[in-house]
Amino acid sequence: MAPLPVRLLYSTGLMKKLQIQRTIDCQADPCSVWNSLTDTDRINRAIGNGRVQVEPLEGSGAARHLLRTRLTGFNIEYEERPYEWVYLQQFQILRRMRRGPASELALRYTLAPLPSGGTRVGITVEVTVRRGLGLLAPIIAFNTRGAVGRMEGELRRLDAELAAGLRPTLPGPPPLVNLPALERAAAALLKQDPSQLAPRLIELLGQGPDVEVSRLRPFELADAWKVDRRQLLATCLRAVKAGLLELRWDIVCPSCRTVSSSIPSLAGLSEHGACQLCEIQFGLDLDQAVEATFSPSPSIRRVDEGPYCIGGPARTPHVMAQSILPAGGTATLVAPAEAGAYQLFIRGGLSAQLELVPSAPTELRVDLTREVQPAQRLAVAPGGSVIVSNPSGEERHAKLEQRVWNSQAATARIVTALPGFRRDFSSDTLRPGTSLRVSRMGLFFSDLADSTQLYATSGDATAFKLVQDHFDLITPIVEKHGGAVVKTIGDAVMAAFADELDGIRACRELLAAFPAFRREHTEGMRTHIKLGFFSGPCFVLTANGVLDYFGQTVNIAARLQAQAHSGELVIEAALAEQALQAGILTPDQITERYQATLKGVDTSLGAVRIIVRPEAARGAA
């Protein structure tokens, strides 16, 4: 590799500014190169940069954190300003040093498609030598040239892997694994989990690089492996019980989607969180703000969790453009080329909905103090410019982020509704008195009709056995479709489903299976099953030692069940339409459409009665 030239941009005798530039032609397309190059934590590990120590930084400047590390042979301390970028085009950062031989370090990367289909990457590094240390300029230039050379070498290595159709790897020392402990825990997992996912997870924990195993996101990993998300999540939960993994709960900012803190138990959750980067406080909900992640058990493997960088576009892939908003100045955000729904966000919490539509103007000007309101809708053409003015005296950052994207988070809403979690992690509950919101949960209620009379006429033993056997019928069907029994109340069952259509599948199968259950029990023909199902927002809290659900959605689900006749399911009409479109129900299974009047609900609710015959459940989706 030819030596990299160093330009002296200016020199005052006491202070010098050096620049190194490099252009690299890659075979991979811009999207693949972008995904690799912007994963700055992974890149810094690969080129040998040191870990960073991070502490929060307050003040009116753009920087939100103070970092310490060792770079190019020097111990440095710097203010970490937010990266600036335009998706697939460029990203850059300016670091102002508080300690070290340089006063500023600027890095800039540009990407441009080549006619051949590859990508031209430009790298520019500018170093301002601290006043009075100009004699160190040759050493700083030499070290910086070496760092850029390693960056180029790593980019070329990644490009070769991408061109060969390989998944990018990470060079480094072999993992620090306790093989006997790994083998014992692996054997325990294989006994619990007969799927093919367990061996793959064991292999990853034994051989995968630290950056991949230090924070395992089961849905992200499932997508990479092209396997079912919930099956891999269930395998990870079993791996915790086997001693391979540890479960932790990450508090995630609703804007930048980065982790603000991690806790080992739900009991550590409060009702509010905060993000240092976005400078916002937010109410915790189990839909977006709390995510389940996993890491190797320390008895199995020691991992270097870093961090080696706390910025970079790869940490916030839903953010399409981000810029520093200077005090008393303006910043231009380049809108993505694709039309869609986005959000303009300003550090501190100001935000507005932004629509990218071809008929909109190509330039949109926004005054920070007057025009950015949460309910406001702005519009600009795809690829247009959003020019944000900041008349205040406080430097911030602004960003354009997607409002909707494919989330790969195994949220607490999903995890806590799994039967495996309810069964094996029953002690992981919220602190008494803490209630957290869930934006949508499917809630199931059943009632074994006439069981009270059965106790009087057939005796306690016979009636009790019938009730218990009917629980044994319901529970496997609920769990088969991804739900979890929350509690039993006498002869009734309450269950929760993260996916409401899975709940309808379970109801359908239970209705179809119950006639055979009645025939198989001596007193069974004297009983009936009645079901109700409703989905909507509710609250989660700990009651009687378990996670339970409360709120109007729970009340409505229970009251719909109370309106069911023998062998019926009663659900909201809108949910029935979804189930019909999905092929879960057929039109002939709906026996009545009506307006349900429910106690405690101000307005009537469109509802339907559903009956499922045994043969129908076998043929439906």
Side-chain angles (χ1 to χ4, degrees), residues 370-403:
R370 293 198 305 269
E371 298 181 16
V372 180
Q373 303 294 333
Q376 185 178 6
R377 292 179 179 270
L378 307 173
V380 71
S385 298
V386 180
I387 303 172
V388 184
S389 63
N390 177 22
S392 76
E394 183 174 341
E395 191 178 39
R396 303 182 184 182
H397 69 272
K399 58 186 177 181
L400 294 180
E401 54 191 14
Q402 293 175 317
R403 294 211 301 268

Side-chain angles (χ1 to χ4, degrees), residues 24 44 53 89 163 197 201 213 232 238 266 273 326 355 382 399 467 558 619:
I24 306 156
N44 286 350
Q53 297 176 345
Q89 296 181 35
L197 299 178
L201 182 62
V213 302
L232 184 54
R238 294 187 189 107
L266 292 173
E355 304 293 336
K399 58 186 177 181
V467 170

Side-chain angles (χ1 to χ4, degrees), residues 417-457:
L418 288 176
F421 181 84
R422 289 269 175 174
R423 182 172 51 250
D424 296 332
F425 297 84
S426 58
S427 62
D428 195 357
T429 58
L430 297 174
R431 185 172 61 245
T434 299
S435 62
L436 300 182
R437 188 176 186 274
V438 177
S439 67
R440 197 163 192 87
M441 183 63 69
L443 296 172
F444 160 104
F445 279 89
S446 72
D447 177 53
L448 186 64
D450 298 330
S451 64
T452 302
Q453 184 179 359
L454 193 64
Y455 276 96
T457 58

Side-chain angles (χ1 to χ4, degrees), residues 238-481:
R238 294 187 189 107
V240 175
K241 299 300 290 184
L244 275 170
L245 293 176
E246 289 188 340
L247 168 65
R248 61 189 180 194
W249 301 97
D250 292 344
I251 313 304
V252 180
C253 170
S255 177
C256 69
R257 308 301 300 159
T258 61
V259 179
S260 60
S261 62
S262 292
I263 54 176
S265 169
L266 292 173
L269 290 176
S270 63
E271 295 183 354
H272 295 86
C275 177
Q276 175 70 15
L277 178 61
C278 297
E279 198 179 5
I280 59 172
Q281 293 187 345
F282 50 92
L284 289 193
D285 61 60
L286 299 186
D287 299 89
Q288 295 184 348
V290 185
E291 177 182 357
T293 60
F294 300 85
S295 59
S297 170
S299 64
I300 300 294
R301 175 172 174 175
R302 291 171 54 194
V303 295
D304 178 3
E305 297 190 30
Y308 286 77
C309 185
I310 64 167
R315 289 174 58 85
T316 55
H318 66 294
V319 178
M320 299 290 101
Q322 180 166 290
S323 291
I324 300 294
L325 189 56
T330 64
T332 300
L333 297 166
V334 179
E338 295 184 2
Y342 295 82
Q343 176 176 262
L344 170 64
F345 179 92
I346 312 296
R347 191 194 93 191
L350 293 175
S351 66
Q353 296 182 29
L354 176 68
E355 304 293 336
L356 300 190
V357 290
S359 60
T362 58
E363 183 177 289
L364 172 67
R365 292 185 174 272
V366 179
D367 186 299
L368 176 61
T369 57
R370 293 198 305 269
E371 298 181 16
V372 180
Q373 303 294 333
Q376 185 178 6
R377 292 179 179 270
L378 307 173
V380 71
S385 298
V386 180
I387 303 172
V388 184
S389 63
N390 177 22
S392 76
E394 183 174 341
E395 191 178 39
R396 303 182 184 182
H397 69 272
K399 58 186 177 181
L400 294 180
E401 54 191 14
Q402 293 175 317
R403 294 211 301 268
V404 180
W405 70 97
N406 179 28
S407 174
Q408 294 180 308
T411 64
R413 178 184 76 89
I414 296 171
V415 176
T416 56
L418 288 176
F421 181 84
R422 289 269 175 174
R423 182 172 51 250
D424 296 332
F425 297 84
S426 58
S427 62
D428 195 357
T429 58
L430 297 174
R431 185 172 61 245
T434 299
S435 62
L436 300 182
R437 188 176 186 274
V438 177
S439 67
R440 197 163 192 87
M441 183 63 69
L443 296 172
F444 160 104
F445 279 89
S446 72
D447 177 53
L448 186 64
D450 298 330
S451 64
T452 302
Q453 184 179 359
L454 193 64
Y455 276 96
T457 58
S458 299
D460 290 349
T462 298
F464 181 78
K465 183 178 187 307
L466 182 66
V467 170
Q468 295 304 308
D469 287 349
H470 122 278
F471 289 155
D472 292 341
L473 172 69
I474 293 175
T475 300
I477 292 175
V478 167
E479 293 187 355
K480 172 185 174 182
H481 294 284

Side-chain angles (χ1 to χ4, degrees), residues 24-30 111-121:
I24 306 156
D25 287 348
C26 299
Q27 303 174 69
D29 62 275
L111 286 75
L114 292 170
S116 62
T119 307
R120 175 161 292 169
V121 178

Side-chain angles (χ1 to χ4, degrees), residues 38-41 44 52 65 67 80-83 85 91 93 95 258 277 307-316 322:
T38 60
D39 190 349
T40 49
D41 185 277
N44 286 350
V52 295
H65 296 91
L67 273 61
E80 179 76 335
R81 296 162 62 84
Y83 277 70
W85 69 83
F91 70 103
I93 189 164
R95 286 171 173 159
T258 61
L277 178 61
Y308 286 77
C309 185
I310 64 167
R315 289 174 58 85
T316 55
Q322 180 166 290

